[in-house]
């Protein structure tokens, strides 16, 4: 299994939406992942995570399904992390997935999937792309990129 894990693209300072730079970054992400074989996507209930995935969903149509797990409610961000990790772990071997989350949850998702700890994501850092390789039997490998 291969899982791309990232923070949503650049956010507007005025609301929950992506900025113009964030919209451009979301299109770049779609360009990068459109031919990767990704078929499952996970995000939070925040508008900016959906907007980060929107160009990829537009490019792939029915070849990708998007599942939302809320960061609100009683379980909060921890519940979101647990739900994303459980959903990814339930996927069949060989699946390629993407999880778009937040600066305070991306590291916990990676760690929950066996990728180890990562450095904290800064408030203005939107370009980290973590690629986790999860073999059926063996040790996970984490590749840290910028896009």
């Amino acid at each position: 299994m291969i899982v791309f894990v990232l923070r949503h693209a650049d956010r507007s300072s005025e609301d929950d939406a992506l900025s113009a730079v964030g919209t451009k970054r979301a299109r770049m992400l779609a360009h990068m992942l459109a031919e990767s074989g990704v078929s499952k996507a996970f995000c939070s209930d925040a508008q900016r995570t959906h907007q980060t995935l929107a160009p990829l969903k537009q490019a792939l149509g029915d070849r990708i399904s998007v599942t939302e797990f809320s960061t609100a409610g009683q379980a909060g961000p921890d519940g979101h992390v647990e739900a994303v990790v459980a959903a990814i772990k339930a996927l069949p071997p060989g699946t390629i997935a993407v999880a778009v989350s937040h600066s305070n949850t991306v590291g916990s998702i990676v760690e929950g999937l066996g990728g180890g700890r990562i450095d904290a994501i800064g408030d203005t850092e939107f370009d980290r792309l973590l690629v986790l390789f999860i073999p059926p039997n063996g040790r996970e490998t984490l590749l840290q990129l910028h896009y």
Side-chain angles (χ1 to χ4, degrees), residues 11-12 16-17 21 23 36 56 73 82 89 93 104 108 116 120-121 129 133 142 144:
R11 140 185 221 174
S12 169
D16 189 38
V21 171
T23 300
S36 69
L56 183 61
E82 290 173 14
K89 285 184 173 182
N104 64 333
S108 297
I121 297 174
L129 178 62
F133 298 90
L142 180 65
Q144 298 192 48

Side-chain angles (χ1 to χ4, degrees), residues 56-137:
L56 183 61
K57 176 66 175 161
Q58 183 177 10
L60 296 179
D62 291 340
R63 292 181 288 163
I64 188 169
S65 65
V66 178
T67 303
E68 173 187 299
F69 293 108
S70 179
T71 57
Q74 265 187 303
D78 290 340
H80 165 78
V81 169
E82 290 173 14
V84 170
V85 169
I88 291 171
K89 285 184 173 182
L91 294 172
T95 302
I96 301 172
V98 59
V100 179
S101 199
H102 303 274
S103 61
N104 64 333
T105 55
V106 165
S108 297
I109 291 170
V110 168
E111 190 171 359
L113 292 171
R117 291 183 182 249
I118 64 166
D119 291 338
I121 297 174
D123 289 342
T124 60
E125 188 177 4
F126 299 97
D127 66 343
R128 286 177 68 187
L129 178 62
L130 305 160
V131 186
L132 186 58
F133 298 90
I134 307 171
N137 299 330

